[in-house]
């Protein structure tokens, strides 16, 4: 295998690298497969100079002519060799949802951090135009409550959707429309809702939020990078709407 892959989050701490490749089979037909390559066989390319989420270290890496044995060659389009509730993580029907649930957790975590930081700020700080503490202003109180409700609702949707899909996969009753659709929709929805919650508290903090000494500035940058992830693409929400309207499941990953 040879090539260059991007967005390798945590690559400096990895033992194995996940390489999605096009493999030409005996019929000369390309097939997308996943090859697992030892980290020491790759070269990290320092590309992660970004506006937010700098700590993920999502650099590129290059693999040049590394042999990958069959046992490290996986096709995600084929059913797993192991089945049952103890092997649910290998179920192709929940694989993408299980992977991208992490992106939802990341976004909601950023929002939770922003809200908690805002509360700490509001209890001790006023603003340029008024010495009254932010915590004592009705509009600020309203914005805080709105953000709390947004994050709580989005998180509940993800947790419930993930739980029902996981249980259905383990029981052998997984259905793409009843389980896969809510999970994928919940993931994309939650990331966008996390952005909305962070934006609310960021603006409620006024000019306090623009200083780098205030962590709100970092949460703002991080969440606006997080929402750029493929898991939050609007096309996933569009795909869910199509299915709810009676169209067939056709989007990649469903």
């Amino acid at each position: 295998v040879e090539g260059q892959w991007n967005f390798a989050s945590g690559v400096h701490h990895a033992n194995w690298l996940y390489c999605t490749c096009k493999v030409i089979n005996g019929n000369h037909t390309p097939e997308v497969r996943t090859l697992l390559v030892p980290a020491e066989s790759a070269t990290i390319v320092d590309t992660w100079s970004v506006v937010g989420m700098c700590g993920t270290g999502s650099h590129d890496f290059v693999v040049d002519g590394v042999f990958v044995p069959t046992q490290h060659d996986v096709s995600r389009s084929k059913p797993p060799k192991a089945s049952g509730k103890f092997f649910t993580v290998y179920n192709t029907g929940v694989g993408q949802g299980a992977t991208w649930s992490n992106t939802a957790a990341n976004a909601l975590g950023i929002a939770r951090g922003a809200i908690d930081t805002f509360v700490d700020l509001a209890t001790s700080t006023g603003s340029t135009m008024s010495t009254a503490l932010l915590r004592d202003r009705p509009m600020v109180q309203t914005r805080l409550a709105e953000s709390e409700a947004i994050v709580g609702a989005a998180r509940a949707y993800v947790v419930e959707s993930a739980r029902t899909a996981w249980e259905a996969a383990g029981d052998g009753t997984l259905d793409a429309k009843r389980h896969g659709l809510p999970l994928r929709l919940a993931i994309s929805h939650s990331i966008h809702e996390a952005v909305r919650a962070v934006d609310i508290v960021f603006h409620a903090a006024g000019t306090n939020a623009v200083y780098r000494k205030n962590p709100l500035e970092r949460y703002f940058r991080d969440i606006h990078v997080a929402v750029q992830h493929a898991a939050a693409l609007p096309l996933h929400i569009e795909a869910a709407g199509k299915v709810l309207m009676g169209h067939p499941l056709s989007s990649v990953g469903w």
Side-chain angles (χ1 to χ4, degrees), residues 14-36:
N15 295 320
W16 293 88
L17 301 177
Y18 183 101
C19 306
T20 302
C21 304
K22 286 185 177 180
V23 178
I24 306 300
N25 59 29
N27 296 324
H28 303 288
T29 303
E31 179 186 2
V32 177
R33 301 183 68 86
T34 298
L35 306 181
L36 299 177

Side-chain angles (χ1 to χ4, degrees), residues 121 125-128 134 204-214 216:
L121 174 71
T125 308
S127 63
T128 303
L134 294 175
T207 53
N208 297 294
V210 304
Y211 292 99
R212 292 205 169 185
K213 65 181 180 180
N214 187 334
L216 268 179

Side-chain angles (χ1 to χ4, degrees), residues 21 26 50-52 54 56 67 94 97 122 126 133 166 168 236-237 246:
C21 304
V50 289
V51 67
C54 303
T56 66
F67 174 76
V94 296
L133 294 178
W166 188 269
H236 299 311
I237 299 175

Side-chain angles (χ1 to χ4, degrees), residues 16 33-36 67-75 81:
W16 293 88
R33 301 183 68 86
T34 298
L35 306 181
L36 299 177
F67 174 76
V68 178
T70 302
Q71 59 266 36
H72 294 158
D73 174 11
V74 180
S75 174
K81 295 181 179 179

Side-chain angles (χ1 to χ4, degrees), residues 96-139:
Q96 197 71 39
T99 300
W100 282 1
S101 292
N102 296 330
T103 64
N106 172 67
L108 291 170
I110 292 172
R112 168 52 53 204
I115 291 173
D116 292 346
T117 297
F118 176 67
V119 171
D120 291 341
L121 174 71
T123 59
S124 60
T125 308
S127 63
T128 303
M129 303 300 294
S130 174
T131 58
L133 294 178
L134 294 175
R135 63 169 294 178
D136 297 328
R137 305 181 190 185
M139 183 58 70

